[in-house]
Amino acid sequence: MKSTIILCSGGARSGKSEFAEQLALSLTGRKTYVATGQAFDEEMKDRIKKHQERRGTEWDNFEIPLHLHENWEKISAVSDIILIDCLTMFTSNHLFAYGEVNHQEDANRIESIILDEIHLLLQDINNSENKTVIFVTNEIGLGIVPENKLARYFRDISGRVNREVATAADKIYLTISGITIELKSQEVHING
């Protein structure tokens, strides 16, 4: 049976990760949590620790900040339900990993790297059978236009990454202030 892709989006602290986790836990199968966050400072270390404590022991855990496609085989070999949290951190990790972003050409180059990775990952998922992959992302383009160039590049690239995954997704959920609504639903059989 074809794999299922689900996108869970929302603002910061909206409850989207908790919703995605509960959705994954409601399904039958081996569960894997793929965390993309990196702990560069104490605040981020604390965030990661709180996420880990909330998850508990029901998950196999992978910490993969950049190369999701390269690790797909390893992840999918031990998983039926795969939660990737989150695409926003994955995008910012690429921005910092691939050099300074001083010009639009730099942003275009990095965006191309990220989108290539996303396309390959989506292809991997579509070539797999009986997997449910749940992506978590931030919907960051709803506020004011950022005042600095790097933040604008990040916002724009994140929006395009989200669109790519949303286009491929069978289901999309949006969480606002702890309330989740379904935005897209195709007739699919979710494993579990």
Side-chain angles (χ1 to χ4, degrees):
M1 184 183 320
K2 176 188 175 303
S3 290
T4 300
I5 298 172
I6 300 171
L7 179 64
C8 298
S9 188
R13 296 287 194 247
S14 64
K16 65 192 175 298
S17 289
E18 292 90 340
F19 172 80
E21 290 167 14
Q22 291 305 311
L23 177 61
L25 290 171
S26 74
L27 304 174
T28 303
R30 301 167 298 164
K31 293 162 184 61
T32 293
Y33 203 107
V34 179
T36 62
Q38 298 182 86
F40 292 121
D41 57 36
E42 291 304 314
E43 186 268 340
M44 194 61 185
K45 287 178 185 173
D46 185 55
R47 282 179 185 254
I48 289 171
K49 182 180 175 194
K50 286 178 181 171
H51 267 256
Q52 289 168 338
E53 289 170 352
R54 186 178 72 226
R55 286 196 299 265
T57 60
E58 296 182 61
W59 306 83
D60 283 323
N61 291 288
F62 289 88
E63 293 186 15
I64 304 173
L66 292 170
H67 305 291
L68 296 171
H69 160 67
E70 290 177 18
N71 288 281
W72 175 254
E73 197 170 306
K74 178 174 53 172
I75 296 165
S76 65
V78 298
S79 313
D80 302 306
I81 316 301
I82 301 159
L83 190 147
I84 300 172
D85 193 359
C86 78
L87 288 173
T88 313
M89 290 301 299
F90 174 78
T91 300
S92 69
N93 294 341
H94 277 81
L95 279 173
F96 293 114
Y98 292 108
E100 292 188 28
V101 184
N102 296 313
H103 306 286
Q104 185 64 50
E105 295 79 27
D106 299 329
N108 293 343
R109 176 180 52 83
I110 294 170
E111 179 178 330
S112 179
I113 291 168
I114 298 167
L115 289 176
D116 286 348
E117 170 82 11
I118 291 296
H119 291 145
L120 289 170
L121 178 62
L122 292 170
Q123 188 174 39
D124 290 336
I125 295 166
N126 286 324
N127 290 335
S128 301
E129 291 187 12
N130 297 320
K131 305 292 180 195
T132 298
V133 181
I134 302 169
F135 289 94
V136 176
T137 194
N138 285 286
E139 196 57 54
I140 62 171
L142 297 174
I144 61 171
V145 175
E147 70 175 82
N148 73 71
K149 177 173 46 177
L150 179 59
R152 288 189 299 273
Y153 291 149
F154 172 69
R155 177 208 54 195
D156 293 348
I157 294 169
S158 293
R160 284 190 274 282
V161 167
N162 288 349
R163 275 191 354 211
E164 290 297 316
V165 176
T167 298
D170 300 292
K171 289 185 170 283
I172 300 174
Y173 295 96
L174 177 66
T175 302
I176 300 172
S177 302
I179 299 170
T180 301
I181 59 172
E182 187 174 338
L183 296 180
K184 177 182 178 182
S185 179
Q186 296 178 358
E187 288 298 316
V188 296
H189 177 272
I190 296 179
N191 306 321

